[in-house]
Amino acid sequence: MKFPKIPMAAINRLSIYIRALEELEEQGIKVISSERLAKQCGVNPAQIRKDLAYFGEFGVRGVGYRIEDLIREIKEILGLDRTWNIAMIGVGNLGSALIRHGNFIKHGYVFAAAFDIDPHKIGKRLPNGLIIHHIDDLEKVVKECDIHIGVIATPASAAQSVANQLIIAGVNGILNFAPAQIQVPECCHVENVDFTIKLDSIAYHLSTSGT
Amino acid sequence: MKFPKIPMAAINRLSIYIRALEELEEQGIKVISSERLAKQCGVNPAQIRKDLAYFGEFGVRGVGYRIEDLIREIKEILGLDRTWNIAMIGVGNLGSALIRHGNFIKHGYVFAAAFDIDPHKIGKRLPNGLIIHHIDDLEKVVKECDIHIGVIATPASAAQSVANQLIIAGVNGILNFAPAQIQVPECCHVENVDFTIKLDSIAYHLSTSGT
DNA sequence: TTTGTAAAGTGAATTAAATCACATAAAGGG
DNA sequence: CCCTTTATGTGATTTAATTCACTTTACAAA
C-alpha cells in the first residue's frame, strides 16, 4: 500500500479493535475473521481490513487474524508497546477519582506525578502514594519522572495556563477534561473529554425521537 | 432548506458553539459573525452557517448573529430549553466524583438519583443529599423521579446488565463511562466516554511525530 | 498433487462531509 | 432614495471516508 494520510477515525477504531481482541483472547479464542470482529465492534468488515491495511498486512488469507499477533501489531502501531508516564494536573474531585481509576494502568498509562495549586494539598500524599506537587514545579518534576502526557482536570479558567506550562515543560500530549477550548502549538496533540457535549447529543436524540 | 439528514458531527458542533457563545455573552458581546465565532471554535465559517441552516435561519445578513437569540435557538434545537433529570449508576470513585462535578448542573443536567449494588452503600447519603438506592429499585425510582438519562459508571463487567435494566425502566439515553461495548435496542441512544481511547490517540501521535 | 473454500487485501464506486464562492438581504451614510 | 458595505444562506464543488466487489492467497481435504 502507498502512503495515504490515515484518517483519525481509523486510529480511534484501532483502540476499539484492541479492546475487543483482548476480550476474545481472554475467552481463549486464537483466530478471528474480519467479519466476526466487525460484528463485535459494530463496524463494517471491509473497514477493519482497510484500517489495518494502512499499516501492513497482518492477516492470513482464507484464515483470518491471529488474535495474539494482531494485538501486538496494533499496540506497536499505536505506540502502546511500552508504558507512558502521565501527570495529573488538578487533584480535585475528578482528578483524584481518575488517578484511582484502574483503567489507565490497565492500558499502560502510569500516573507518575500529580499537581495542584491549593496550598492545603501541596505535599500531601494520595492513596496511591503520589505526592501532590505545586504546579510551579511542573517542569522540574516532568523531567525527573519522564512524563510525556498531561491530564488536565482543573476548572476551565485554569486550563489554558496549565496547558502553556505543560508545553514549556516539554509535554506534547494533553488529555483535557476541563470544559475549555485550549490553544496549543502544532507540535502538541490535545484530546478533549467533554461529557456535557455527549449529554447534549443524548438530549437531542431524546427530544427529536418523541420522548 | 429541504430535509437532509443531519450529520451527527453537526449536532456535536452545536454544543461547541453554545459554549463559545455563552463565553462571549458573559463578555458583554451582543452580536457575532460566523467568521469570528468560527475562529473561536476552530472551525470553518461556512461550516457554522451550514450547521445552523439545517435548522433554520437565525442570522441577519450583513450583521451576524445576535448572541442571546442564537443561544436560545440552539438550546431549543438540542432540547436544552429544559432541565434533564439523570441517574448515576455506580457510586464508586468515578461516579461520586461526577456527581459532585459542577458541569452537569451548569448545563441543565440534574442528578436526581444514584444507584449501586454494594450493600454498604445502599441507604447512605451523598454529599449533595442524594440517597443511594439499590440497582433493583431502578425502575421504581426512575418513574418517581422522572429520569430520562442514565449514566453508567460501573465496572465494565456490569455495564451490559445495567444497560438492560435502564432500558426496561424506560430510560432511552445512556452515557456510558464503563469501558465496554453495550448493546441496546434502536430506541435507545448511547454515548460512550472512554478516555483510554483518547489516550491511545495521543500515544499514537507522540510515537509517530518523533517524541 | 489437485481442487474447493474461506477470508484477507485492494482498486473502484459510492456516500458523506466540508469548503468554496456567489447571490441575496439588511443596515448605514451620503 | 440609492449606493456601498457587510455578512448570511446556499447550490456547486471538492475532499474525505466508507463500502462494494473482485482478486489473491493460504489451507485442508480428497
Side-chain angles (χ1 to χ4, degrees):
Chain A
M1 177 164 263
K2 285 102 44 92
F3 300 102
K5 43 202 158 332
I6 294 154
M8 181 55 55
I11 301 296
N12 289 315
R13 279 191 298 268
L14 291 184
S15 296
I16 309 266
Y17 302 157
I18 285 206
R19 305 282 183 283
L21 290 167
E22 285 178 338
E23 199 177 317
L24 290 163
E25 193 179 39
E26 274 173 34
Q27 291 167 27
I29 300 168
K30 299 290 182 198
V31 174
I32 193 164
S33 67
S34 60
E35 190 163 335
R36 286 237 293 133
L37 182 59
K39 190 142 70 176
Q40 176 126 354
C41 297
V43 301
N44 183 295
Q47 180 131 76
I48 292 184
R49 298 199 297 274
K50 185 140 280 191
D51 285 345
L52 294 172
Y54 288 124
F55 302 99
E57 302 193 5
F58 306 116
V60 182
R61 297 181 189 205
V63 179
Y65 299 92
R66 280 193 34 89
I67 288 177
E68 189 186 337
D69 294 352
L70 189 54
I71 289 174
R72 188 166 28 72
E73 295 283 6
I74 295 179
K75 283 194 171 177
E76 194 177 323
I77 292 165
L78 292 177
L80 303 179
D81 50 350
R82 51 168 287 185
T83 61
W84 290 90
N85 288 343
I86 65 183
M88 174 63 71
I89 297 94
V91 192
N93 284 331
L94 186 60
S96 54
L98 290 172
I99 289 172
R100 274 172 287 162
H101 201 258
N103 252 2
F104 290 92
I105 191 71
K106 185 173 163 191
H107 290 91
Y109 301 101
V110 180
F111 281 108
F115 300 87
D116 208 296
I117 202 168
D118 178 352
H120 296 102
K121 292 180 184 165
I122 313 293
K124 290 261 171 64
R125 228 174 245 286
L126 290 165
N128 69 345
L130 279 189
I131 288 176
I132 302 176
H133 298 277
H134 192 280
I135 181 73
D136 288 345
D137 294 332
L138 190 67
E139 191 166 358
K140 194 188 73 185
V141 178
V142 158
K143 254 86 192 180
E144 282 173 8
C145 299
D146 190 34
I147 285 164
H148 287 86
I149 300 173
V151 181
I152 300 180
T154 64
S157 54
Q160 182 64 60
S161 98
V162 165
N164 297 343
Q165 288 178 276
L166 281 168
I167 288 156
I168 289 169
V171 174
N172 290 320
I174 295 178
L175 184 64
N176 176 37
F177 283 86
Q181 206 68 6
I182 62 182
Q183 302 297 319
V184 296
E186 187 69 9
C187 63
C188 182
H189 184 85
V190 177
E191 291 281 333
N192 294 293
V193 181
D194 189 336
F195 9 97
T196 59
I197 289 177
K198 303 267 185 173
L199 275 173
D200 288 354
S201 164
I202 294 172
Y204 170 76
H205 282 276
L206 293 183
S207 301
T208 50
S209 64
T211 301
Chain B
M1 177 163 266
K2 285 99 46 91
F3 300 102
K5 43 201 156 333
I6 295 154
M8 182 56 53
I11 301 296
N12 289 316
R13 280 192 297 269
L14 291 185
S15 297
I16 311 267
Y17 303 157
I18 284 206
R19 307 280 183 284
L21 289 167
E22 286 177 339
E23 199 177 318
L24 291 164
E25 193 179 38
E26 274 173 33
Q27 290 167 27
I29 300 168
K30 299 290 182 197
V31 174
I32 194 163
S33 66
S34 60
E35 190 164 336
R36 286 237 292 131
L37 181 59
K39 191 145 66 178
Q40 176 124 356
C41 298
V43 301
N44 183 295
Q47 181 131 75
I48 292 183
R49 300 200 297 275
K50 184 140 281 191
D51 286 345
L52 294 172
Y54 288 123
F55 302 99
E57 304 193 5
F58 306 116
V60 183
R61 297 182 188 206
V63 178
Y65 299 92
R66 281 193 34 88
I67 289 177
E68 190 187 336
D69 293 352
L70 189 55
I71 290 174
R72 187 165 29 73
E73 295 282 6
I74 295 179
K75 283 195 170 177
E76 195 178 321
I77 292 165
L78 293 177
L80 303 179
D81 51 349
R82 51 168 287 185
T83 60
W84 289 91
N85 287 343
I86 65 183
M88 174 63 71
I89 297 94
V91 192
N93 285 331
L94 186 61
S96 54
L98 290 172
I99 289 172
R100 275 172 287 163
H101 201 259
N103 252 2
F104 290 91
I105 190 72
K106 186 173 164 192
H107 290 91
Y109 299 100
V110 180
F111 280 109
F115 300 87
D116 208 297
I117 202 168
D118 178 351
H120 298 101
K121 292 179 184 165
I122 312 294
K124 290 261 171 63
R125 228 173 243 287
L126 291 164
N128 69 346
L130 278 189
I131 288 175
I132 302 175
H133 297 277
H134 191 281
I135 180 73
D136 288 346
D137 294 332
L138 190 68
E139 193 167 358
K140 195 187 71 184
V141 179
V142 158
K143 253 85 191 182
E144 282 173 9
C145 299
D146 191 33
I147 286 163
H148 286 85
I149 299 173
V151 181
I152 300 180
T154 64
S157 55
Q160 182 64 60
S161 98
V162 165
N164 296 343
Q165 289 180 275
L166 281 167
I167 288 155
I168 289 169
V171 174
N172 290 320
I174 295 178
L175 184 64
N176 176 38
F177 283 86
Q181 205 69 7
I182 62 181
Q183 302 298 319
V184 296
E186 187 68 10
C187 63
C188 182
H189 184 85
V190 177
E191 291 280 333
N192 294 293
V193 180
D194 189 335
F195 11 97
T196 60
I197 288 177
K198 303 269 185 173
L199 275 173
D200 289 353
S201 163
I202 294 172
Y204 170 77
H205 283 275
L206 294 183
S207 301
T208 51
S209 65
T211 301

